[in-house]
Amino acid sequence: EDLPLTSMEFNKMSHDFGKIKADTDNKTTFIVTNTGKNPLIIESVKASCGCTTPSKPEKPIMPGKSDKIEVVFHPKENQLNGQSKTVTVIANTYPDVVKLNLKAFVLE
């Protein structure tokens, strides 16, 4: 069934971890705010590679309220130098897909 649409805003659309070491956990948090009139349902949050693990809000976010999407980037030993990854957020918004960008420079 189609959920009534709402809108959302993020506190940032990208995050640059700067220089980080391979095989370490690097965390960042994106704050998502429901800027519409209906409850915001985050259907899925997917990363472009297995080295990135996002967590999504499980409960609907009420209008005017915020929640967070936490992302852990764990580069492997062979992912050195400049890395860029995306986290795709699907929700009951139009458009229904938003891409968040991650960047890092990975050192051994």
Side-chain angles (χ1 to χ4, degrees):
E1 107 198 56
D2 281 348
L3 295 163
L5 294 181
T6 189
S7 55
M8 62 181 174
E9 271 181 23
F10 292 87
N11 65 326
K12 57 187 178 181
M13 296 305 292
S14 62
H15 181 77
D16 189 345
F17 288 104
K19 290 183 177 170
I20 57 176
K21 287 198 179 281
D23 202 25
T24 60
D25 276 349
N26 301 275
K27 291 183 183 160
T28 187
T29 301
F30 291 90
I31 306 291
V32 54
T33 301
N34 182 348
T35 54
K37 295 187 163 57
N38 292 305
L40 171 62
I41 316 281
I42 307 264
E43 289 173 38
S44 79
V45 178
K46 289 201 180 81
S48 58
C49 87
C51 56
T52 309
T53 316
S55 70
K56 76 180 190 71
E58 291 305 326
K59 296 191 178 126
I61 303 169
M62 293 299 132
K65 299 291 184 201
S66 301
D67 207 334
K68 53 192 184 186
I69 292 173
E70 291 182 336
V71 180
V72 179
F73 176 52
H74 190 112
K76 300 178 184 74
E77 300 286 343
N78 60 354
Q79 295 177 302
L80 298 179
N81 303 319
Q83 297 287 323
S84 63
K85 306 293 171 199
T86 58
V87 172
T88 303
V89 180
I90 298 175
N92 58 326
T93 53
Y94 180 83
D96 63 346
V97 175
V98 172
K99 285 196 188 313
L100 304 173
N101 294 292
L102 302 173
K103 277 178 27 181
F105 194 85
V106 183
L107 307 168
E108 282 184 54

